[in-house]
Amino acid sequence: MTSNAKLFERAQRTIPGGVNSPVRAFRQVGGIPRFIDRAEGPYMIDVEGRRYIDYIGSWGPMIVGHAHPEVVEAVQRAATRSLSFGAPTADEIDMAEAICALMPSVGMVRLVSSGTEAGMSALRLARGFTGRDAIVKFEGCYHGHADSLLVKAGSGLLTFGNPSSAGVPADLAKHTLVLEFNNIPQIEELFAERGHEIACVMVEPIAGNMNFIRGSSAWHRRLHELCAEHGSLLIWDEVMTGFRVALGGAQQVYGMRPDLVVMGKVIGGGMPLAAFGGRAEVMRKLSPLGGVYQAGTLSGNPVAVAAGMAQLRLIQRTGFYDRLAAATRSLMQGLEQAANRHGVGFRTDSEGGMFGFYFATDLPRNYPDIARADVELFKRFFHAMLDRGVYLAPSMYEAGFVSAAHDEAVIAATLAAADGAFAELARG
Ligand SMILES: *Cc1c(COP(=O)(O)O)cnc(C)c1O
């Protein structure tokens, strides 16, 4: 029989680090990644036949659980009509109409194949629309790996950014300004100095790539006002929060309408599908209508659209998000209680089907807060849970996800595992 260890060794010979996306390699927590054979509902089964309760859900997309029969059937039906046409279809109009109906800020939308591509395209559109080069992002937010977005803060608040990856030209990174998440005075100061240069402010409304951190309502309102005053576009990256924290995404939670929205993950149902959309006046700048070029051989792929539409139909059923949020909250409450019983300092937060937990005494407000949490305790907890059949994100900087397939029995089994894991932590 094959094993995770053998596959990991073999994988590393032909795939850099043995993985096709870095966090899968377990670098932060150590140990051997699990090679997955199949998944079903809330469970993933590895090549050794071990079953795990899955709280990653492919990093967000699998909101109805794995291999949901209606999604699988939609994919099978679509596949028999061919995998790709490179020509328009009626189904992609259905998807555009569904997105526009669910997200009132989106008047027009374009489908692409990954969140990275969607974010990169939204950025180009914002620059093309405003005729400006500078962009603003926030420390700890991830918007995919486009060059302009792999940037860390420069030496001072008003200095432009430095590349955070080798291979990103400093000449490009200098157009990206990186500020602290949830910091109102900083963004006010920046706009006062350079508002006229700023094409857009891009933000994860609830950050899910530095664990789970809410943007405060006051901060979000201020970002919106400052953008409006200075003719800059506000881009909400809802790749993770869209159709995840609520049916209408974080826009519904905060009651706000950004100029552009980036989507992915849930809308593809697990297939490579993402989108960006927003005010029609801005979207009309895209080719073939306008001068901002954007294209894709597999954009609006019929099989991906079929999977995404099947999932969008399921999440629109009555009570879907109420049940999802209740399951997520009961998981978080149970985890806090288990930690308390064993005297471990631990906090949690969640919205809809997305959650975060922290080995810290206060909820984090920004990236430095997360970086201060206890990474050693996190690592031990991760492995203690994995040993007990619960698969959490292998990094303290990731959010977690619950699906509709995580019923009471699954949550109870998770909490039983957590009780043992916290007891192990308390023993030291
Ligand atoms: C996952 C993610 C992306 C990138 O999406 P990919 O499909 O992995 O390229 C962008 N923004 C946010 C907020 C994400 O969570």
Side-chain angles (χ1 to χ4, degrees):
M1 196 185 72
T2 186
S3 70
N4 292 303
K6 273 190 214 149
L7 288 182
F8 194 37
E9 196 190 295
R10 192 180 131 210
Q12 289 178 81
R13 278 182 242 135
T14 50
I15 304 173
V19 292
N20 281 313
S21 196
V23 72
R24 297 179 194 172
F26 278 27
R27 282 295 176 100
Q28 187 177 94
V29 293
I32 293 167
R34 301 309 190 255
F35 284 72
I36 303 304
D37 177 60
R38 61 191 190 279
E40 195 182 284
Y43 302 111
M44 291 213 292
I45 296 110
D46 73 9
V47 293
E48 296 177 15
R50 278 207 66 191
R51 192 178 84 167
Y52 303 88
I53 300 173
D54 175 25
Y55 287 103
I56 301 184
S58 190
W59 303 95
M62 314 312 288
I63 199 167
V64 299
H66 288 283
H68 190 288
E70 288 178 38
V71 179
V72 171
E73 202 207 307
V75 166
Q76 287 170 336
R77 231 181 309 121
T80 62
R81 292 157 61 202
S82 183
L83 302 184
S84 184
F85 312 119
T89 64
D91 291 347
E92 64 194 345
I93 314 173
D94 287 346
M95 173 153 264
E97 288 172 352
I99 292 170
C100 293
L102 292 174
M103 289 197 169
S105 69
V106 178
M108 292 180 103
V109 61
R110 181 157 280 175
L111 302 183
V112 297
S113 302
S114 75
T116 291
E117 195 187 347
M120 177 189 83
S121 304
L123 205 60
R124 182 178 306 133
L125 178 59
R127 283 170 159 162
F129 181 80
T130 58
R132 302 171 182 179
D133 289 340
I135 62 169
V136 178
K137 77 177 284 284
F138 299 94
E139 186 186 20
C141 286
Y142 178 68
H143 306 293
H145 58 88
D147 283 350
S148 289
L149 295 164
L150 290 182
V151 176
K152 59 181 187 240
S155 52
L157 168 60
L158 298 175
T159 51
F160 286 106
N162 296 316
S164 63
S165 160
V168 174
D171 268 350
L172 187 61
K174 73 178 187 202
H175 299 294
T176 304
L177 285 144
V178 184
L179 302 193
E180 193 173 85
F181 198 77
N182 269 331
N183 187 326
I184 295 176
Q186 267 197 1
I187 190 77
E188 287 178 339
E189 192 184 333
L190 178 69
F191 265 96
E193 292 280 327
R194 306 200 132 155
H196 60 286
E197 296 171 51
I198 296 169
C200 62
V201 171
M202 193 166 194
V203 65
E204 285 181 79
I206 299 173
N209 289 283
M210 49 173 164
N211 205 316
F212 173 105
I213 304 186
R214 289 171 193 278
S216 76
S217 295
W219 179 64
H220 278 309
R221 274 197 308 275
R222 204 67 193 109
L223 296 181
H224 199 202
E225 286 162 8
L226 288 165
C227 284
E229 274 166 35
H230 292 87
S232 313
L233 298 185
L234 179 62
I235 306 179
W236 272 23
D237 181 348
E238 292 227 50
V239 171
M240 197 179 274
T241 55
F243 318 100
R244 167 53 72 179
V245 297
L247 182 58
Q251 294 159 68
Q252 181 184 327
V253 173
Y254 288 92
M256 286 187 56
R257 293 191 180 194
D259 299 296
L260 289 176
V261 184
V262 185
M263 291 156 270
K265 298 194 169 117
V266 169
I267 55 164
M271 295 289 285
L273 186 111
F276 64 103
R279 278 162 48 198
E281 165 207 11
V282 181
M283 293 300 290
R284 285 204 189 91
K285 289 281 175 199
L286 275 184
S287 53
L289 295 181
V292 177
Y293 191 70
Q294 193 278 331
T297 302
L298 298 177
S299 290
N301 175 268
V303 185
V305 166
M309 282 306 289
Q311 190 160 266
L312 284 185
R313 280 192 293 273
L314 289 166
I315 65 180
Q316 290 181 71
R317 292 193 179 159
T318 316
F320 182 91
Y321 284 89
D322 291 339
R323 284 191 297 275
L324 185 69
T328 310
R329 272 195 303 272
S330 83
L331 174 68
M332 292 301 106
Q333 278 163 10
L335 288 178
E336 284 195 12
Q337 284 160 4
N340 280 340
R341 272 199 299 280
H342 298 287
V344 178
F346 185 84
R347 296 294 304 270
T348 67
D349 197 4
S350 71
E351 190 68 48
M354 177 175 167
F355 67 79
F357 61 84
Y358 326 94
F359 287 92
T361 44
D362 297 305
L363 291 181
R365 299 186 63 249
N366 54 34
Y367 185 83
D369 282 352
I370 280 293
R372 272 195 296 274
D374 193 328
V375 67
E376 287 311 314
L377 273 184
F378 172 82
K379 280 191 222 175
R380 285 169 53 209
F381 183 68
F382 169 83
H383 280 294
M385 291 296 272
L386 194 65
D387 289 347
R388 290 168 175 78
V390 179
Y391 192 92
L392 298 166
S395 161
M396 185 172 87
Y397 294 93
E398 304 290 344
F401 304 97
V402 170
S403 83
H406 291 70
D407 59 16
E408 269 176 44
V410 172
I411 303 286
T414 309
L415 294 177
D419 194 65
F422 282 120
E424 195 180 309
L425 258 57
R427 282 197 297 274

